[in-house]
Amino acid sequence: MTMRAGAPAPHLLVVGIDGVRYDTLLAAQTPHLDLLAADGVLLPVEVHARNSTMSGPVWATVATGVYSDRHGVLGNDVHPAELREYPDFLERLRAELDDATTMVAASWFPIAGDHHCGPLFSSRGWLPDVDPETQPDVAAASDAADDDVAAYACARLGQEDVVASFVYFGEPDEFAHHKGTGAGYTASIERCDARVGRLLEAISARANSGGEAWTVVVVTDHGHVDNGGHGGDSTHERTAWMAAAGPGIGPHIGRLCHADIAVQAGKVFGLDFEGLDGVPFGHR
Ligand SMILES: [Zn+2]
């Protein structure tokens, strides 16, 4: 597409943070997400009835803009043939935007690689050297892996014109599974907020940041029960959330769904991704 001369160049960053309960998020100290919400919107997001409260199905919906009855990801183990019919929003953007550079970086290997239900993002992407789920202390390994993901993403955001990205942090989900949803879980969410802060700092420091219009979306996939665990239909498990800021995004938006992200990704660049289950932000 051709941008009007002088118009800010659109850019998109979507950050996924796995398994962050909405009530815990609100109680946690998250200054970077608070600023994002103040600039735009923060809303609880109900995991759609067509998705289970599992990571694979919901992240596949974030990637593709369709629910599990279409993309076929029903759990975390199987990579279904149907998913290949639905390119992720980054692949769709590359197909429409000449020479667009996109990025996926993730600490949960099925997001970006041939692991279990993955790749959930057809673009694939960068993974740390060590899969935290293979380590003896998964929570600690996820903390380290998320730091590696943040460092990789910040370096690329600083050095390249990455116009659209998906960056994934998994520590809170692994912490809750292995150690429950107490104070340590809250601290793992606060560390992810700090990682979001590093990404936003890398964006602000970009050489041409004044000539760019950034849309930033931060989203979780599901909550957790008190002892850690998800997959059921309790309110804590079904209640996810999304924070977003950027052109056209503000408190007038009353409802958001996971499938909307892929459609909004197109809208950011003036594109209409048709035939998906989501709608642009503010259209519900
Ligand atoms: Zn998850």
Side-chain angles (χ1 to χ4, degrees):
M1 65 187 292
T2 305
M3 295 304 300
R4 184 164 51 85
H11 286 69
L12 171 68
L13 169 66
V14 179
V15 180
I17 310 179
D18 205 299
V20 176
R21 260 169 67 151
Y22 186 56
D23 61 337
T24 313
L25 176 79
L26 296 181
Q29 301 294 314
T30 55
H32 303 290
L33 282 168
D34 292 351
L35 272 178
L36 194 68
D39 280 350
V41 67
L42 167 67
L43 287 171
V45 172
E46 187 175 7
V47 177
H48 197 279
R50 286 151 71 187
N51 276 350
S52 68
T53 60
M54 295 290 287
S55 305
V58 179
W59 292 123
T61 293
V62 169
T64 63
V66 301
Y67 295 111
S68 60
D69 54 328
R70 295 174 71 188
H71 64 54
V73 181
L74 301 178
N76 292 344
D77 296 327
V78 178
H79 181 85
E82 299 96 297
L83 181 58
R84 292 165 206 162
E85 296 167 28
Y86 296 99
D88 70 41
F89 63 84
L90 298 166
E91 183 173 345
R92 287 178 185 273
L93 289 172
R94 289 195 307 277
E96 300 286 342
L97 306 170
D98 290 342
D99 299 325
T101 299
T102 67
M103 169 174 71
V104 176
S107 60
W108 191 46
F109 279 38
I111 293 284
D114 288 307
H115 300 262
H116 305 288
C117 60
L120 298 175
F121 278 72
S122 55
S123 298
R124 301 172 183 267
W126 186 88
L127 298 164
D129 289 339
V130 175
D131 181 348
E133 292 193 320
T134 65
Q135 298 302 294
D137 185 340
V138 178
S142 294
D143 180 4
D146 282 356
D147 280 344
D148 289 346
V149 167
Y152 171 85
C154 286
R156 288 198 61 189
L157 288 168
Q159 292 158 13
E160 298 172 46
D161 192 17
V162 183
V163 299
S165 308
F166 179 73
V167 178
Y168 167 102
F169 302 127
E171 187 194 358
D173 185 66
E174 300 289 10
F175 194 99
H177 278 298
H178 293 273
K179 300 182 179 179
T181 59
Y185 174 61
T186 305
S188 75
I189 293 166
E190 292 172 346
R191 283 191 288 276
C192 283
D193 180 71
R195 293 175 186 119
V196 170
R198 273 174 246 159
L199 295 172
L200 297 177
E201 196 176 322
I203 287 171
S204 300
R206 285 170 56 78
N208 187 36
S209 62
E212 297 171 351
W214 280 81
T215 295
V216 177
V217 177
V218 184
V219 60
T220 198
D221 53 344
H222 52 71
H224 268 270
V225 296
D226 287 343
N227 290 331
H230 56 88
D233 289 324
S234 71
T235 300
H236 282 318
E237 290 160 281
R238 279 264 160 217
T239 307
W241 53 267
M242 198 187 310
I249 298 173
H252 63 281
I253 296 175
R255 191 167 165 244
L256 291 166
C257 291
H258 286 115
D260 298 344
I261 293 172
V263 178
Q264 180 69 19
K267 192 183 174 197
V268 164
F269 295 91
L271 302 167
D272 186 6
F273 292 163
E274 292 180 334
L276 304 180
D277 293 331
V279 296
F281 289 2
H283 287 240
R284 289 190 184 277

